Each structure stands twice: as structure tokens, then as C-alpha cells.
Amino acid sequence: MPNYRRLRVAGGTYWFTVKLRDPDSRLLVEQVESLRAAFRIVMTAHPFTIDAIVIMPNHLHTLWTLPPGDSDYSLRWRQIKAAFSRAMPKGERISASRQSKGERGIWQRRFWEHTVCHQRGFNHRFDYIHYNPVKHGDVRHPHEWPYSSFHRAVRQGIYPADWHVDDSAPFTLPPDEDD
């Protein structure tokens, strides 16, 4: 069994990418209310702040800040995935390995995480999250995507409503060593 090394900082801020097993699925946007409910359930038991989030059809990106003294984001992801999966009707293809572990076949087993150590890295990831629907060709402008904290950021005055509307340059993340 692999031994994944993850940097855990109590009270830290983390950037996550979490994907569905089926890359062609649209389940996350089709069942967005079930996903939101899963987040609410877990946030009640294990609080954290969602600094930014975008829910795409088959994956999501999010920035979280955990409470002081707490670094257990894995527990939260395990519970979010489980709560969402329980809300879905059964019927997906499940491998023998997943069946033996009592798992569903909805999510990829792992998730990608990055510990955000500096404001510059936070800002880049915050922007990347909100630009993601444009990057994937789902919309032409970030304000057109309904499953994003972009709208909250506009209300808070972080972005103008027309952020990135006239920018034709693709948005990319800096190398990790730069943040």
C-alpha cells in the first residue's frame, strides 16, 4: 500500500482537487444540492472555512482553511465523499477491489492537495479556481458559471463582476516553489 506524504499544518490553508472516477460524468453539477448537503453535514461536525470553490461536472477545486489546532482534512474529504455517495442511487460499475472494501465507484480514491504557505500562492489558486469553468470551455466568462464562489467574491468586492471578461490569455498556476 502506498505511503502518501502529505504536509499537515494545523490551522493551515489547503488547495484541493477532487475528481469523480468517471471523467465523462456530469454528476457533480447534476446533483449539486446533494454535494452541498454533504459539505454542510461535514462542516457541522468538523468545521472549516471554504475560502473558494468551483464545482465542475466531474471534479472540483477548493481552498480550505482549517481551525487552529486541526489538520485533518483527510477525515473531512472521506466524510464528504461518503455522504454524497450515500445520497446517490446505486448502479455505477464497481470493481471487485472496491466491492471488497464496501466502496462505491463514484469518486477517485485519492485527492490532490497542496498546502498554501504564502499569500501569493493563495491568490493564484483563488483566481485559478474561479477561472476554471472558462479554462474547461464550459463558459466564456467566470460570472456565467453558477457553481462557483466567484459570485460571493464579487459581492465581497474581491472581484469586479466582469473579471477576466476581456482577457484572452489562459490562466495557469505558478510552479509550487514560487508560492
Side-chain angles (χ1 to χ4, degrees):
M1 177 157 208
N3 182 14
Y4 292 97
R5 292 183 181 178
R6 296 196 186 270
L7 178 60
R8 297 186 185 274
V9 176
T13 299
Y14 302 91
W15 180 53
F16 300 99
T17 299
V18 183
K19 296 181 177 184
L20 294 178
R21 193 174 134 258
D22 178 0
D24 297 322
S25 178
R26 297 191 53 79
L27 190 63
L28 294 182
V29 293
E30 291 169 355
Q31 298 294 329
V32 70
E33 289 309 318
S34 294
L35 182 61
R36 288 175 175 156
F39 269 87
R40 281 191 300 272
I41 289 165
V42 174
M43 290 176 83
T44 299
H46 305 284
F48 61 96
T49 301
I50 298 174
D51 300 302
I53 190 167
V54 65
I55 301 166
M56 301 298 292
N58 64 359
H59 70 282
L60 64 87
H61 298 287
T62 187
L63 274 167
W64 291 359
T65 299
L66 298 184
D70 190 340
S71 64
D72 199 352
Y73 50 77
S74 293
L75 168 74
R76 290 166 171 87
W77 277 120
R78 189 168 44 256
Q79 291 185 355
I80 290 167
K81 288 177 171 185
F84 179 78
S85 296
R86 281 191 300 273
M88 296 300 104
K90 293 186 177 182
E92 73 276 6
R93 289 184 5 186
I94 303 173
S95 69
S97 172
R98 284 182 185 264
Q99 286 178 352
S100 72
K101 294 177 175 115
E103 295 178 3
R104 297 284 304 269
I106 295 174
W107 297 96
Q108 286 187 359
R109 282 189 171 146
R110 308 287 180 232
F111 56 85
W112 192 89
E113 112 343 273
H114 175 81
T115 305
V116 179
C117 299
H118 303 287
Q119 188 65 47
R120 181 173 177 230
F122 180 94
N123 294 348
H124 280 297
R125 284 163 179 82
F126 193 87
D127 289 348
Y128 181 90
I129 285 169
H130 295 120
Y131 191 75
N132 203 247
V134 177
K135 176 185 173 214
H136 284 280
D138 291 295
V139 293
R140 291 186 54 220
H141 310 297
H143 69 268
E144 296 170 342
W145 190 250
Y147 314 111
S148 169
S149 59
F150 177 80
H151 310 284
R152 179 180 71 190
V154 169
R155 286 191 305 274
Q156 292 173 336
I158 296 169
Y159 292 128
D162 62 352
W163 179 75
H164 257 280
V165 167
D166 296 324
D167 190 350
S168 60
F171 193 89
T172 60
L173 286 173
D176 289 343
E177 62 270 9
D178 288 342
D179 87 90

